[in-house]
Amino acid sequence: MITTKLENARKFLTEEELAGGMKKAEDAYHLVAGESGVGSEWLGWRHILASPNDALLEEISRHANSIRQDADVFIVCGIGGSYTGAMALIKALNPVFKNNGPEIIFAGHQMSGRYLKELIEHLETAKEDGGRKSVYLNVISKSGSTLETALAFRVLRNWMHNRFEDASKRINATTGPAGGVLNDIVAEEDYKKYVIPDDAGGRFSVLTPVGLLPLAVAGIDIQTLFYGAVSQFEELEVNRNDLLGYAAARYALHEKGYAVDVIGSFEPDLLGFTAWIQQLIGESEGKDGKGLYPALAAYSTDLHSVGQLIQDGPRNIMETLLVVEKPISDMAVPDSGSDDTDQLGYLAGKTFHEINKSALEGTVEAHTSGGVPVISIHIEKLNARQLGELIYFYELFTAVYVYMLGVNPFNQPGVEAYKKAMYRLLGKN
Ligand code: PA5
């Protein structure tokens, strides 16, 4: 279950501002639900939850299991919405220092030659038993033409075809239904293909094969994740006051001139998830001179860094904190008996989660009294079901909030500007 706490933001807003925001949030919700807003042809992320495709979930799980049985390394090649979701959930749910199945490596999310060179060296390094690594590659690109992904895919698939006789069976593509060079390559090489529905944009696609195949290969229970999202979809169809209140408060702060939303968590496992939210909200809301810049903070680490600026810098910063009530696991501070040289005896027996919670509460108190409105979003436990719920919560929140700004949540016209300039410099026709 997801709960939102707004009291530390409310004190920065008047009743009228909040009520005005709430009215706008309700209207915006009806644009989403009634499919009558600008860009409503991009609501596939809702349709997949309204009518779940169990056969597809089953097919992906089966395919992922066969990869898990044979692969030492699984490469996910994609950028933006084509990789942030999988990266976020794998970081959140998988063990910190070991793999739960094949090693998952991301590529195609930047253009570092060094990264690709060292990746290939890593793939070529023999296993401990002297054998060759078994490698699988999943390229994910809805357009099929994104340069970062296409370049990495060119390098990696060349390597795969030189290395493995059955490379065509080891490479699969997740792309749009038709058109684009990636579809041409898939047809030519007979790679297995998963379809990204036409009506689901990249950053809203984590619950399509874009996220589901890498997650299933990483050992995450995609049925539980997906049905967590379905249950949140059903819940928010009838009970959405918390979500609308959150949208109302963020909107009212935006209208008051707040410029930055620091999205943070004291739970290191959720830092990938905050990056997913950053990509989802940032690419959706930043249009026509509108939007809050979604910055990220990794707490408590960043209290020793940008924490200073948040506490004491320009007063146009708000903060959103993701809070987990129960961690996946925990440990207590050891008792050192009569030796209290490190002067930490007063914490003996307390768990790290309890101490982290005090840091969270102390930070909320300090930031609020320093002039930073704080909104917190709470989940009980870190597991596939609750993260599925949180994914849909944030997808719907983003659509509602961005409609409140009066812009299309589902396009990204601004990203064309750098591409145009880059392609001109690279001499592309
Ligand atoms: O949300 C989006 O649409 C973008 O972030 C895309 O996911 C990103 O640009 C990658 O695009 P593509 O999947 O076409 O390679």
Side-chain angles (χ1 to χ4, degrees):
M1 187 174 140
I2 300 165
T3 49
T4 60
K5 288 199 183 151
L6 301 179
E7 60 262 29
N8 293 305
R10 272 208 195 101
K11 45 185 106 149
F12 295 86
L13 295 165
T14 65
E15 284 303 316
E16 292 71 43
E17 286 166 337
L18 268 174
M22 199 65 183
K23 165 85 188 59
K24 252 185 135 51
E26 266 157 21
D27 292 347
Y29 171 75
H30 289 296
L31 290 179
V32 180
E35 308 209 346
S36 52
V38 55
S40 60
E41 64 278 20
W42 293 94
L43 292 171
W45 48 280
R46 279 171 58 81
H47 304 156
I48 56 173
L49 301 178
S51 329
N53 184 343
D54 291 322
L56 177 65
L57 288 173
E58 192 48 47
E59 181 193 342
I60 293 174
S61 301
R62 241 183 291 114
H63 183 196
N65 278 338
S66 74
I67 294 174
R68 280 171 67 74
Q69 274 163 26
D70 186 49
D72 297 303
V73 179
F74 183 74
I75 305 172
V76 181
C77 186
I79 195 169
S82 289
Y83 101 106
T84 38
M87 180 270 300
L89 289 155
I90 291 169
K91 273 193 175 180
L93 296 174
N94 273 10
V96 188
F97 294 111
K98 59 176 195 232
N99 301 314
N100 176 14
E103 183 184 8
I104 310 287
I105 296 181
F106 293 96
H109 57 305
Q110 24 84 334
M111 287 192 280
S112 162
R114 174 189 169 180
Y115 184 88
L116 281 173
K117 196 163 173 271
E118 293 192 14
L119 169 55
I120 286 173
E121 280 164 20
H122 174 69
L123 300 176
E124 283 176 350
T125 306
K127 296 193 284 185
E128 269 177 21
D129 64 6
R132 277 178 164 202
K133 282 179 183 145
S134 168
V135 182
Y136 284 71
L137 171 62
N138 177 203
V139 59
I140 309 171
S141 177
K142 184 158 185 200
S143 62
S145 57
T146 303
L147 188 61
E148 291 87 340
T149 304
L151 280 175
F153 185 50
R154 171 186 270 235
V155 170
L156 292 168
R157 101 184 161 93
N158 279 348
W159 181 83
M160 294 283 292
H161 280 277
N162 286 331
R163 184 79 167 181
F164 301 105
E165 266 175 26
D166 61 347
S168 295
K169 302 267 164 292
R170 292 170 174 268
I171 300 176
N172 59 76
T174 307
T175 187
V181 287
L182 185 51
N183 269 311
D184 294 344
I185 297 173
V186 167
E188 206 175 291
E189 299 283 0
D190 201 21
Y191 296 149
K192 179 167 173 55
K193 172 181 157 177
Y194 286 100
V195 174
I196 309 175
D198 248 344
D199 57 359
R203 58 192 174 277
F204 287 84
S205 69
V206 53
L207 296 173
T208 74
V210 167
L212 296 177
L213 180 65
L215 291 170
V217 172
I220 290 165
D221 178 348
I222 59 168
Q223 269 85 0
T224 301
L225 176 84
F226 191 89
Y227 274 93
V230 171
S231 75
Q232 186 66 10
F233 172 82
E234 288 165 354
E235 169 74 21
L236 291 173
E237 291 295 283
V238 284
N239 179 12
R240 53 186 166 270
N241 262 354
D242 268 25
L243 182 142
L244 298 186
Y246 171 22
R250 195 175 192 267
Y251 172 79
L253 292 165
H254 174 274
E255 294 301 289
K256 270 188 116 106
Y258 284 82
V260 178
D261 181 7
V262 176
I263 302 170
S265 183
F266 279 74
E267 184 53 67
D269 296 336
L270 273 180
L271 296 177
F273 204 89
T274 57
W276 175 78
I277 296 173
Q278 178 190 49
Q279 200 253 337
L280 176 66
I281 295 191
E283 209 174 17
S284 301
E285 76 172 315
K287 287 158 205 165
D288 297 347
K290 296 175 183 166
L292 283 151
Y293 181 86
L296 297 183
Y299 292 138
S300 63
T301 313
D302 285 343
L303 293 174
H304 303 263
S305 145
V306 288
Q308 169 63 38
L309 185 140
I310 295 168
Q311 183 71 43
D312 228 4
R315 295 303 71 193
N316 61 0
I317 299 173
M318 63 163 289
E319 193 164 36
T320 305
L321 297 176
L322 291 190
V323 182
V324 179
E325 303 300 346
K326 284 191 202 122
I328 288 179
S329 65
D330 201 1
M331 72 180 284
V333 175
D335 191 341
S336 300
S338 57
D339 176 10
D340 196 27
T341 326
D342 62 8
Q343 299 184 8
L344 293 174
Y346 72 105
L347 294 175
K350 274 194 193 290
T351 66
F352 276 77
H353 184 66
E354 285 167 338
I355 298 169
N356 208 16
K357 194 163 177 234
S358 298
L360 159 71
E361 288 167 2
T363 303
V364 172
E365 193 181 307
H367 286 183
T368 313
S369 58
V372 177
V374 180
I375 292 173
S376 52
I377 312 297
H378 298 244
I379 62 170
E380 286 150 34
K381 269 189 184 165
L382 260 188
N383 57 32
R385 184 175 174 89
Q386 299 214 1
L387 288 182
E389 291 176 18
L390 199 58
I391 285 170
Y392 179 69
F393 178 90
Y394 261 102
E395 288 179 340
L396 183 62
F397 169 80
T398 301
V400 168
Y401 166 76
V402 176
Y403 271 148
M404 292 169 76
L405 298 179
V407 295
N408 181 348
F410 308 114
N411 64 1
Q412 51 281 332
V415 302
E416 292 311 313
Y418 98 87
K419 287 187 189 168
K420 244 176 147 174
M422 172 182 74
Y423 285 130
R424 179 179 43 75
L425 292 167
L426 290 172
K428 185 183 179 191
N429 274 335

